[in-house]
Amino acid sequence: VEERVKELKRKLDATQSKARELEEQERDTQKKLERAAKLVGGLGSEKTRWEALCLTLDQGQTNLVGNMIVCSGAIAYQGPFTAPYRAKLNAAWVDKVKTLGIASDALPTVGNVLGDPVTIREWGICGLPLDTLSVENAIFVTRSRRWPLMIDPQVYSATKQHTPSCAQLCATAG
């Protein structure tokens, strides 16, 4: 009888151990399911973002030639002019491009078409004012094959010429 009790006790211990393992597995599985549900929910919002990005890229590809014509004209000719006059030139060039039947954005700007938001943010961290004129000037400098002629109403280039932030600005432009 004692041997039978010991055997039943061993079976009870083994069964209880197995039950604890199964309970632990259940908790782990529940946690995994919760994490999976969060991931799937996050991916659902990513789908919306990716669809919007695809539309933007498709539109950008359609307008690429016209945008590049306007921006290359801006790099070549707009340097010495003020921001309002640059905007007028851009609008006139966009009208001309559209009359020639070339697709372009409504008002492509050098910053939107040729600028990299991360690089522009780095320039701001380095001390470049983030107004349109300064950002365009920085893009003109980094995207030109020759030395561009520009106005500098904030005298940024003269005051920052020999500081580390200016060297860092030029280094980040790559």
Side-chain angles (χ1 to χ4, degrees), residues 1-13:
V1 175
E2 285 183 22
E3 199 170 297
R4 177 87 171 127
V5 170
K6 284 182 184 179
E7 185 180 321
L8 289 174
K9 197 168 194 170
R10 276 193 305 268
K11 282 185 179 181
L12 176 65
D13 289 341

Side-chain angles (χ1 to χ4, degrees), residues 5 10 20 25-26 31 39 41 48 52 54 56 79-81 84 99 101 107 112 125 128 138 152 165:
V5 170
R10 276 193 305 268
R20 283 191 297 273
Q25 270 186 336
E26 180 189 14
K31 287 179 185 177
L39 180 62
T48 307
C54 284
T56 302
F81 300 115
T99 38
L107 281 173
N112 291 342
I125 291 169
L128 181 73
D152 187 9
S165 62

Side-chain angles (χ1 to χ4, degrees), residues 116-137:
D116 173 33
V118 174
T119 303
I120 292 170
R121 176 63 55 200
E122 287 176 4
W123 291 342
I125 291 169
C126 292
L128 181 73
L130 293 178
D131 62 294
T132 305
L133 186 72
S134 298
V135 170
E136 284 183 355
N137 284 346

Side-chain angles (χ1 to χ4, degrees), residues 2 18 39 43 45 50 53 55 61 68-69 96 101 106 120 123 126 136 144-145 148 160:
E2 285 183 22
K18 183 72 171 170
L39 180 62
L43 290 176
S45 65
W50 277 91
L53 181 63
L55 289 174
Q61 186 176 7
M68 286 300 122
I69 290 171
K96 183 65 176 177
I120 292 170
W123 291 342
C126 292
E136 284 183 355
S144 295
R145 291 186 179 163
K160 301 288 185 179

Side-chain angles (χ1 to χ4, degrees), residues 33-43:
L33 283 172
E34 289 171 10
R35 290 180 196 143
K38 287 180 184 178
L39 180 62
V40 168
L43 290 176

